[in-house]
Amino acid sequence: MPRAGGGVVEVTGTTGPVPELVVSGRRLVTPDGVRPGHVLVRGGRITAVTATDTAPASAERIDAGENYVLPGLIDSHVHFRTPGLTHKEDWEHGSRAAVRGGVTTVLDMPNTMPPTLDADAVLAKARLVEGRSLVDLRFHIGLDPARPELLADLDPSVATSAKVFMAGHHTAPTVVRDPAALEGAFVAAAEGGVQLVLHAEDDGVFALLDAWWGEPGSYLEYERRRPRTGGIVAVAKVVELVRRHGTHAHIVHLSSREEADLVCAAQAAGYPVTFEVTGHHLSFTDKDTQRLGARTRLSPSIRGQADQDRLWRAFTAGELATLGSDHAPHTVAEKTRSVAASPPGLPGVQELAVAVWTGMRRRRPEEDPDTAVARLVRHLSQTPAELFRLPGKGRIAPGADADLVVFAPDTPWMFSAHDVESKCGWSAYEGWTFTGRVERTLRAGRTVWDAATGMFGAYDGRLLTAAPSTQPTAHGAGRKV
């Protein structure tokens, strides 16, 4: 199987019985804090986290030394492009990118060809992915604007969340433009216990501006042509619908300071609305888009320095719920079309954790690393596992899946095109010097990425069923109903 750098992908591991395993280190990141110890694993699950290695001599042993041992990371916002768009990404490449970035579980978006709008389509996609993924997975179903009532009876074994596009772009075929259909989705989702995941920009605002301005002629104009106004209007609508119907809404790739303030105010009022920030919006500003053009063209747009600073404050204060990559690869040929025709989106699942960690250490170098890494784990493991009802995920604790990441927090390294695992073969982060590197990634007790050897594991990731239903609070925690 070819890789972007032109070499050969080597695969190790089998799908046979999982051997007993001990992962030892002086910096295990557990729900009780960072501590030394040993993670004992049997049958792909954690059996104990102990001060003493009590496993038999025959067990495999991994010594993490002074590196952190993190729970497997969860990226709840990826586009792995199956079916219909596999010329620019597929599950083999996308999941390799994920495990090289320490991600062991992903939630894939529905805007494929055809879009994943009902249970049959979700199950068909699952069959296509079987045997092709290094990571465990779940799918967001797509909202069909003509049939919002489907969410009232959605089988939680199929999906527990539904993606709603409130604005259109090149790969968003099902945009909700009718206010009645949008409200119907909130009503049905509340009835069915389905979490709405929203691209919250207002299509009507953008259509009005496009009719006035015409098509942009350069990337100097791009952010102005897709301004914060669209996001503010859409987020205000979402908050009002949440207030009326009690539906849980999770706003993805929130981009501006005004939107962050609106959602935080709604949370303070007790409304069950949460939000995600992407690594891209924490890493780049509109000045980068003016310089790099299509490489950092996103939807929502990457905004100004003051917006980025506000998003970093939301992360530091724990106001956001999740970090996501919005991993959305396109080919170089697609990205080098005209400004109007170039699709928004860029790869990012591989770069997400190290890009955010690098930003954390540069912005707050005086912060205790144990405190910083616990925050990263909270928003990239613990909270997404709770929010999206992923049993066994998001923690290093007895009974959890043995998804583990050996992370060297101080290692500097330069990211190059040769490192890119995404099928598209490029990254907006090429040339960046990152701080922190994923040395090893394990899923269910087996190594799926080893930086020392460059070897990947077995493509036997599984489709995850849902944990018991919860009614989320404003910050994503829940109570059983």
Side-chain angles (χ1 to χ4, degrees):
M1 199 179 296
R3 57 184 289 188
V8 175
V9 174
E10 296 182 271
V11 178
T12 187
T14 70
T15 57
V18 181
E20 288 193 63
L21 169 71
V22 182
V23 179
S24 303
R26 285 175 282 283
R27 303 167 93 178
L28 309 182
V29 185
T30 76
D32 299 320
V34 177
R35 51 178 277 198
H38 309 273
V39 183
L40 278 56
V41 176
R42 184 183 299 117
R45 300 183 75 84
I46 297 172
T47 59
V49 182
T50 65
T52 304
D53 180 354
T54 58
S58 60
E60 178 187 355
R61 283 173 167 80
I62 297 172
D63 184 2
E66 293 296 332
N67 295 327
Y68 284 113
V69 179
L70 317 177
L73 306 180
I74 299 168
D75 190 344
S76 54
H77 189 169
V78 304
H79 301 263
F80 279 0
R81 303 302 195 194
T82 299
L85 298 168
T86 53
H87 64 284
K88 49 189 164 189
E89 187 62 291
D90 55 33
W91 279 81
E92 290 94 335
H93 288 83
S95 65
R96 288 207 303 268
V99 296
R100 277 194 73 163
V103 172
T104 56
T105 300
V106 301
L107 278 79
D108 186 56
M109 289 295 177
N111 49 318
T112 50
M113 294 177 65
T116 314
L117 301 182
D118 55 33
D120 289 342
V122 171
L123 297 176
K125 183 190 278 193
R127 288 191 291 270
L128 289 174
V129 171
E130 187 174 0
R132 298 177 181 273
S133 179
L134 287 164
V135 297
D136 289 341
L137 56 130
R138 174 84 67 75
F139 299 115
H140 299 294
I141 201 169
L143 173 70
D144 185 345
R147 301 181 294 167
E149 68 278 0
L150 292 181
L151 300 186
D153 298 311
L154 182 62
D155 183 345
S157 69
V158 172
T160 61
S161 52
K163 178 68 179 289
V164 179
F165 286 95
M166 296 175 68
H169 56 72
H170 300 64
T171 61
T174 53
V175 179
V176 185
R177 296 181 172 90
D178 179 7
L182 183 63
E183 183 152 19
F186 274 76
V187 171
E191 183 179 342
V194 174
Q195 180 168 268
L196 295 183
V197 177
L198 297 114
H199 181 137
E201 292 187 288
D202 192 86
D203 196 70
V205 168
F206 292 157
L208 194 66
L209 292 173
D210 286 347
W212 182 38
W213 274 326
E215 293 185 350
S218 76
Y219 283 100
L220 290 172
E221 306 172 51
Y222 179 63
E223 197 275 338
R224 187 167 66 95
R225 299 300 181 98
R226 286 293 178 266
R228 67 189 64 244
T229 319
I232 295 167
V233 169
V235 169
K237 289 181 179 179
V238 169
V239 169
E240 174 58 19
L241 289 168
V242 167
R243 186 192 68 79
R244 286 187 209 164
H245 304 293
T247 318
H248 184 268
H250 184 62
I251 297 170
V252 294
H253 46 44
L254 187 139
S255 65
S256 76
R257 57 190 184 273
E258 291 90 350
E259 295 164 68
D261 289 345
L262 271 173
V263 178
C264 290
Q267 290 175 347
Y271 301 162
V273 58
T274 54
F275 68 99
E276 166 202 272
V277 170
T278 71
H280 306 323
H281 285 100
L282 294 173
S283 298
F284 302 103
T285 70
D286 56 348
K287 301 298 184 186
D288 294 299
T289 306
Q290 292 173 17
R291 179 173 58 89
L292 298 172
R295 274 184 179 266
T296 56
R297 175 177 179 165
L298 284 182
S299 179
S301 302
I302 290 174
R303 308 209 183 278
Q305 188 64 58
D307 297 294
Q308 187 187 84
D309 292 344
R310 176 65 181 92
L311 300 182
W312 272 107
R313 290 197 298 275
F315 175 45
T316 302
E319 294 170 333
L320 59 84
T322 64
L323 294 166
S325 70
D326 191 7
H327 177 82
H330 300 285
T331 66
V332 171
E334 289 168 331
K335 291 295 275 185
T336 51
R337 294 172 184 164
S338 69
V339 176
S342 172
L346 51 146
V349 65
Q350 182 175 346
E351 303 94 324
L352 174 60
V354 293
V356 174
W357 179 254
T358 298
M360 294 171 74
R361 302 314 293 155
R362 290 176 181 172
R363 281 179 169 256
R364 296 169 63 106
E366 76 288 349
E367 185 174 32
D368 174 41
D370 289 358
T371 301
V373 82
R375 183 184 316 116
L376 188 73
V377 165
R378 183 161 59 252
H379 297 293
L380 262 176
S381 292
Q382 179 184 336
T383 302
E386 295 169 353
L387 197 62
F388 294 105
R389 297 163 51 190
L390 301 171
K393 303 300 183 183
R395 66 192 190 282
I396 298 177
D401 292 351
D403 299 347
L404 303 167
V405 179
V406 179
F407 180 65
D410 301 318
T411 298
W413 61 288
M414 184 175 289
F415 189 78
S416 72
H418 180 73
D419 296 304
V420 174
E421 295 293 346
S422 175
K423 192 174 184 178
C424 71
W426 63 273
S427 170
Y429 295 88
E430 290 172 39
W432 275 47
T433 300
F434 287 128
T435 299
R437 189 173 78 157
V438 173
E439 299 293 344
R440 193 161 183 162
T441 304
L442 299 97
R443 177 183 46 77
R446 290 190 185 279
T447 296
V448 287
W449 164 248
D450 184 355
T453 63
M455 300 280 280
F456 293 92
Y459 290 82
D460 57 359
R462 62 193 174 97
L463 181 66
L464 300 174
T465 55
S469 178
T470 61
Q471 178 63 50
T473 68
H475 293 283
R479 59 179 179 83
K480 291 184 179 180
V481 294

